[in-house]
Coordinates of all heavy atoms in Angstrom, one line a residue:
Q1 N -143.2 62.6 156.1 CA -142.1 61.9 156.7 C -141.1 63.0 157.3 O -141.6 64.1 157.7 CB -141.3 61.0 155.7 CG -142.2 59.9 155.2 CD -142.2 58.7 156.2 OE1 -141.4 58.6 157.1 NE2 -143.1 57.7 156.0
V2 N -139.8 62.6 157.4 CA -138.8 63.5 158.0 C -138.4 64.6 157.0 O -138.2 64.3 155.8 CB -137.7 62.7 158.5 CG1 -136.9 62.0 157.4 CG2 -136.7 63.6 159.3
T3 N -138.2 65.8 157.5 CA -137.5 66.8 156.6 C -136.6 67.7 157.5 O -136.6 67.6 158.7 CB -138.6 67.6 155.8 OG1 -137.9 68.4 154.8 CG2 -139.3 68.6 156.7
Y4 N -136.0 68.6 156.8 CA -135.1 69.6 157.5 C -135.5 71.0 157.2 O -135.9 71.3 156.1 CB -133.6 69.3 157.1 CG -132.7 70.4 157.6 CD1 -132.3 70.5 158.9 CD2 -132.2 71.4 156.7 CE1 -131.4 71.5 159.4 CE2 -131.4 72.4 157.1 CZ -131.0 72.5 158.5 OH -130.2 73.5 158.9
H5 N -135.5 71.8 158.2 CA -135.7 73.3 158.0 C -134.4 74.0 158.6 O -133.9 73.6 159.6 CB -136.9 73.8 158.8 CG -138.2 73.2 158.4 ND1 -138.7 73.2 157.1 CD2 -139.1 72.5 159.1 CE1 -139.8 72.6 157.0 NE2 -140.1 72.2 158.2
G6 N -134.1 75.1 157.9 CA -132.9 75.9 158.3 C -132.9 77.2 157.7 O -133.7 77.5 156.8
P7 N -132.1 78.2 158.2 CA -132.1 79.5 157.7 C -131.8 79.5 156.2 O -131.0 78.7 155.7 CB -130.9 80.1 158.4 CG -130.8 79.4 159.7 CD -131.2 78.0 159.3
G8 N -132.4 80.4 155.4 CA -132.3 80.4 154.0 C -133.3 79.6 153.2 O -133.3 79.6 152.0
Q9 N -134.1 78.8 154.0 CA -135.2 78.1 153.3 C -136.5 78.8 153.6 O -136.8 79.2 154.7 CB -135.3 76.7 154.0 CG -136.4 75.8 153.4 CD -136.6 74.6 154.2 OE1 -137.0 74.7 155.4 NE2 -136.4 73.4 153.7
L10 N -137.2 79.1 152.5 CA -138.5 79.8 152.6 C -139.6 78.8 153.1 O -139.8 77.7 152.5 CB -138.9 80.3 151.3 CG -140.3 80.9 151.2 CD1 -140.5 82.2 152.1 CD2 -140.7 81.3 149.7
V11 N -140.3 79.1 154.2 CA -141.4 78.3 154.7 C -142.6 79.2 154.6 O -142.6 80.3 155.1 CB -141.1 77.8 156.1 CG1 -142.3 77.0 156.6 CG2 -139.8 77.0 156.1
I12 N -143.7 78.6 154.0 CA -145.0 79.4 153.9 C -146.0 78.5 154.6 O -146.2 77.3 154.1 CB -145.3 79.7 152.5 CG1 -144.3 80.7 152.0 CG2 -146.7 80.3 152.4 CD1 -144.5 81.2 150.5
Y13 N -146.7 79.0 155.6 CA -147.7 78.3 156.3 C -149.1 78.8 155.9 O -149.3 80.0 155.9 CB -147.6 78.3 157.8 CG -146.4 77.6 158.3 CD1 -145.5 78.2 159.2 CD2 -146.1 76.3 157.9 CE1 -144.4 77.5 159.7 CE2 -145.0 75.6 158.4 CZ -144.1 76.2 159.3 OH -143.1 75.5 159.7
T14 N -150.0 77.9 155.4 CA -151.3 78.3 154.9 C -152.4 78.0 156.0 O -152.7 76.8 156.1 CB -151.6 77.6 153.6 OG1 -151.3 76.2 153.7 CG2 -150.7 78.2 152.5
L15 N -152.9 79.0 156.7 CA -153.9 78.8 157.7 C -155.2 79.2 157.1 O -155.7 80.3 157.1 CB -153.6 79.6 158.9 CG -152.3 79.1 159.6 CD1 -151.1 79.9 159.2 CD2 -152.4 79.3 161.1
L16 N -155.9 78.2 156.4 CA -157.0 78.4 155.6 C -158.2 77.6 156.0 O -158.1 76.5 156.5 CB -156.7 78.0 154.1 CG -155.4 78.6 153.5 CD1 -155.2 78.0 152.2 CD2 -155.5 80.1 153.4
D17 N -159.4 78.2 155.9 CA -160.7 77.5 156.1 C -161.0 76.8 154.8 O -161.6 77.4 153.9 CB -161.7 78.5 156.6 CG -163.1 77.8 156.9 OD1 -163.3 76.7 156.4 OD2 -163.8 78.3 157.7
I18 N -160.6 75.6 154.6 CA -160.8 74.9 153.3 C -162.2 74.6 153.0 O -162.6 74.5 151.8 CB -159.9 73.7 153.1 CG1 -160.2 72.6 154.1 CG2 -158.4 74.1 153.2 CD1 -159.5 71.3 153.8
K19 N -163.0 74.4 154.0 CA -164.5 74.2 153.8 C -165.1 75.5 153.2 O -165.9 75.4 152.2 CB -165.2 73.8 155.1 CG -166.6 73.4 154.9 CD -167.2 73.0 156.2 CE -168.7 72.5 156.0 NZ -169.3 72.1 157.3
R20 N -164.8 76.6 153.8 CA -165.3 77.9 153.3 C -164.8 78.2 151.9 O -165.5 78.7 151.1 CB -164.9 79.0 154.3 CG -165.4 80.4 154.0 CD -165.2 81.3 155.1 NE -163.7 81.6 155.3 CZ -163.2 82.1 156.4 NH1 -164.0 82.5 157.4 NH2 -161.9 82.4 156.5
L21 N -163.5 77.8 151.6 CA -162.9 78.0 150.3 C -163.4 77.0 149.3 O -163.1 77.1 148.1 CB -161.4 78.0 150.4 CG -160.8 79.1 151.1 CD1 -159.3 78.8 151.4 CD2 -160.9 80.4 150.3
K22 N -164.1 75.9 149.8 CA -164.5 74.8 148.9 C -163.4 74.1 148.2 O -163.5 73.9 147.0 CB -165.6 75.3 148.0 CG -166.9 75.9 148.6 CD -167.9 76.3 147.6 CE -169.2 76.7 148.3 NZ -169.1 77.8 149.2
I23 N -162.3 73.9 148.9 CA -161.2 73.1 148.3 C -160.9 71.9 149.2 O -161.0 72.0 150.4 CB -159.9 74.0 148.0 CG1 -159.5 74.7 149.3 CG2 -160.2 75.0 147.0 CD1 -158.2 75.5 149.2
G24 N -160.5 70.8 148.5 CA -160.1 69.6 149.2 C -158.6 69.6 149.6 O -157.9 70.5 149.1
V25 N -158.2 68.6 150.4 CA -156.8 68.6 150.8 C -155.9 68.3 149.7 O -154.9 69.0 149.5 CB -156.7 67.4 151.9 CG1 -155.2 67.4 152.4 CG2 -157.6 67.7 153.1
R26 N -156.3 67.4 148.8 CA -155.4 67.1 147.6 C -155.3 68.3 146.7 O -154.2 68.6 146.2 CB -156.0 65.9 146.9 CG -155.3 65.4 145.7 CD -153.8 65.0 145.9 NE -152.9 65.9 145.3 CZ -151.6 65.7 145.3 NH1 -151.0 64.6 145.9 NH2 -150.8 66.5 144.7
Q27 N -156.4 69.0 146.6 CA -156.4 70.2 145.8 C -155.5 71.3 146.4 O -154.8 72.0 145.6 CB -157.8 70.8 145.7 CG -158.0 71.9 144.6 CD -159.4 72.4 144.6 OE1 -160.3 71.9 145.2 NE2 -159.6 73.5 143.9
L28 N -155.5 71.4 147.7 CA -154.6 72.4 148.3 C -153.1 72.0 148.1 O -152.3 72.9 147.9 CB -155.0 72.5 149.8 CG -154.1 73.4 150.7 CD1 -154.1 74.8 150.1 CD2 -154.5 73.4 152.1
V29 N -152.8 70.7 148.3 CA -151.5 70.3 148.0 C -151.0 70.6 146.6 O -149.9 71.1 146.4 CB -151.3 68.7 148.3 CG1 -150.0 68.2 147.8 CG2 -151.5 68.4 149.7
T30 N -151.9 70.4 145.6 CA -151.6 70.7 144.2 C -151.4 72.2 144.1 O -150.5 72.6 143.3 CB -152.7 70.2 143.3 OG1 -152.8 68.8 143.5 CG2 -152.5 70.6 141.9
I31 N -152.2 73.0 144.7 CA -152.1 74.5 144.6 C -150.7 74.9 145.2 O -150.0 75.8 144.5 CB -153.2 75.2 145.5 CG1 -154.5 75.1 144.7 CG2 -152.9 76.6 145.7 CD1 -155.7 75.5 145.5
L32 N -150.2 74.3 146.3 CA -148.9 74.7 146.8 C -147.8 74.2 145.9 O -146.8 75.0 145.7 CB -148.8 74.1 148.2 CG -149.8 74.5 149.3 CD1 -149.4 74.0 150.7 CD2 -149.9 76.1 149.3
E33 N -147.9 73.0 145.4 CA -146.9 72.5 144.4 C -146.9 73.4 143.2 O -145.8 73.9 142.8 CB -147.3 71.1 144.0 CG -147.0 70.1 145.1 CD -147.5 68.7 144.7 OE1 -148.4 68.6 143.8 OE2 -147.0 67.7 145.3
Q34 N -148.0 73.8 142.6 CA -148.1 74.6 141.4 C -147.5 76.0 141.7 O -147.0 76.6 140.8 CB -149.5 74.6 140.8 CG -149.9 73.3 140.2 CD -149.0 72.8 139.1 OE1 -148.6 73.5 138.3 NE2 -148.7 71.5 139.1
A35 N -147.7 76.5 142.9 CA -147.2 77.8 143.2 C -145.7 77.9 143.1 O -145.1 78.8 142.6 CB -147.7 78.2 144.6
M36 N -145.1 76.8 143.6 CA -143.6 76.7 143.5 C -143.2 76.5 142.1 O -142.2 77.1 141.6 CB -143.1 75.6 144.4 CG -143.2 76.0 145.9 SD -142.4 74.8 147.0 CE -143.6 73.5 147.1
I37 N -143.9 75.6 141.4 CA -143.5 75.3 140.0 C -143.6 76.6 139.1 O -142.7 76.8 138.3 CB -144.4 74.2 139.4 CG1 -144.1 72.8 140.1 CG2 -144.3 74.0 137.9 CD1 -145.1 71.7 139.9
S38 N -144.7 77.3 139.3 CA -144.9 78.5 138.4 C -143.8 79.6 138.8 O -143.3 80.3 137.9 CB -146.3 79.1 138.6 OG -146.5 79.6 139.9

């Protein structure tokens, strides 16, 4: 949905070949969530 971006917010874009990595979309979302949680 809608979000806001602005200075002081860290944005990380992941440009990954998920087929080559053998990971699914839901798995990738979980990886990104867990990276912030850890």
Side-chain angles (χ1 to χ4, degrees):
Q1 295 277 347
V2 62
T3 195
Y4 169 74
H5 298 303
Q9 180 190 63
L10 173 65
V11 177
I12 294 178
Y13 291 132
T14 48
L15 293 93
L16 308 173
D17 185 331
I18 62 170
K19 186 177 182 181
R20 185 170 65 196
L21 290 167
K22 298 182 173 62
I23 55 176
V25 182
R26 180 61 244 185
Q27 189 181 353
L28 178 56
V29 170
T30 299
I31 286 168
L32 299 188
E33 289 172 337
Q34 290 302 318
M36 290 188 278
I37 290 168
S38 66

